[in-house]
């Protein structure tokens, strides 16, 4: 669980921890990208703030995005121009003061931006909820996923030229 990559722009993306040493924080702080066409692995350009703890990766509004731990909130940011480090932009913040049991080790994945402006999110305990960034309200009316994590398929790894 938690090892699924996010497919975007034909590349697979994973959260990774590059901290080394006995006392460093084990939370993911980098995004690793795999190009299946060239079999190459690289690091996705990140914001200058290297202290971010990445909670989850996703695709919202046709942009690659991540949720990050930021003291008293979770920030969801998107790369508006894929591959451009300067194009990371904040989409919204999730107040953790209203949301019990979120910590820097929680996996929180943005799944989908709905037409009403709410965002479907997935917690690491397989709970799906919607979050309204305008009202900062949560909706837990979605059934808990039993034994399987939902996936949204956006692209395919099948090479039509093979």
């Amino acid at each position: 669980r938690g090892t699924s990559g996010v497919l975007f722009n034909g590349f697979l993306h994973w959260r990774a921890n590059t901290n080394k040493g006995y006392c460093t924080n084990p939370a993911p702080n980098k995004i690793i990208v795999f190009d299946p066409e060239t079999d190459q692995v690289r690091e996705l350009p990140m914001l200058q703030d290297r202290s971010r703890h990445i909670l989850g990766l996703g695709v919202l509004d046709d942009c690659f995005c991540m949720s990050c731990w930021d003291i008293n909130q979770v920030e969801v940011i998107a790369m508006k121009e894929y591959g451009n480090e300067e194009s990371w932009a904040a989409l919204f913040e999730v107040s953790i003061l209203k949301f019990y049991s979120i910590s820097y080790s929680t996996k929180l994945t943005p799944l989908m931006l709905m037409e009403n402006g709410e965002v479907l999110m997935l917690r690491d305990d397989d709970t799906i909820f919607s979050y309204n960034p305008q009202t900062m309200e949560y909706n837990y009316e979605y059934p808990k996923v039993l034994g399987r994590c939902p996936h949204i398929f956006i692209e395919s790894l099948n090479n039509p030229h093979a």
Side-chain angles (χ1 to χ4, degrees):
R1 181 153 103 169
T3 58
S4 297
V6 172
L7 186 61
F8 183 74
N9 260 13
F11 305 109
L12 279 172
H13 303 77
W14 287 273
R15 303 177 308 148
N17 177 13
T18 57
N19 292 322
K20 295 180 179 149
Y22 179 73
C23 295
T24 57
N25 194 325
N29 64 344
K30 305 274 185 199
I31 298 172
I32 302 302
V33 180
F34 173 69
D35 182 345
E37 217 170 273
T38 64
D39 272 350
Q40 293 192 356
V41 176
R42 63 181 170 83
E43 194 175 308
L44 190 68
M46 294 288 289
L47 297 166
Q48 293 301 319
D49 181 7
R50 299 282 187 187
S51 64
R52 292 179 182 268
H53 301 288
I54 302 169
L55 303 178
L57 303 175
V59 177
L60 293 178
D61 208 18
D62 293 327
C63 292
F64 183 78
C65 65
M66 65 178 165
S67 56
C68 302
W69 175 261
D70 190 17
I71 304 180
N72 287 327
Q73 65 194 15
V74 171
E75 186 177 34
V76 176
I77 58 177
M79 187 176 252
K80 298 290 186 172
E81 183 183 323
Y82 186 78
N84 181 354
E85 176 180 354
E86 302 299 319
S87 72
W88 284 106
L91 294 180
F92 60 90
E93 296 168 352
V94 178
S95 170
I96 63 167
L97 301 176
K98 289 181 160 185
F99 196 23
Y100 70 96
S101 71
I102 284 188
S103 70
Y104 69 87
S105 62
T106 301
K107 185 175 179 195
L108 192 62
T109 305
L111 292 177
M112 179 180 159
L113 182 61
M114 299 190 297
E115 287 182 16
N116 65 2
E118 292 183 357
V119 180
L120 276 183
M121 309 271 301
L122 173 69
R123 284 178 41 128
D124 52 6
D125 64 357
D126 294 337
T127 300
I128 297 176
F129 66 94
S130 65
Y131 178 72
N132 186 325
Q134 308 301 336
T135 63
M136 297 185 351
E137 296 294 322
Y138 305 91
N139 180 355
Y140 285 94
E141 293 179 11
Y142 301 93
K144 190 164 185 166
V145 180
L146 300 175
R148 294 273 193 268
C149 178
H151 295 277
I152 296 176
F153 292 96
I154 297 171
E155 300 180 42
S156 172
L157 282 177
N158 292 332
N159 186 347
H161 306 289

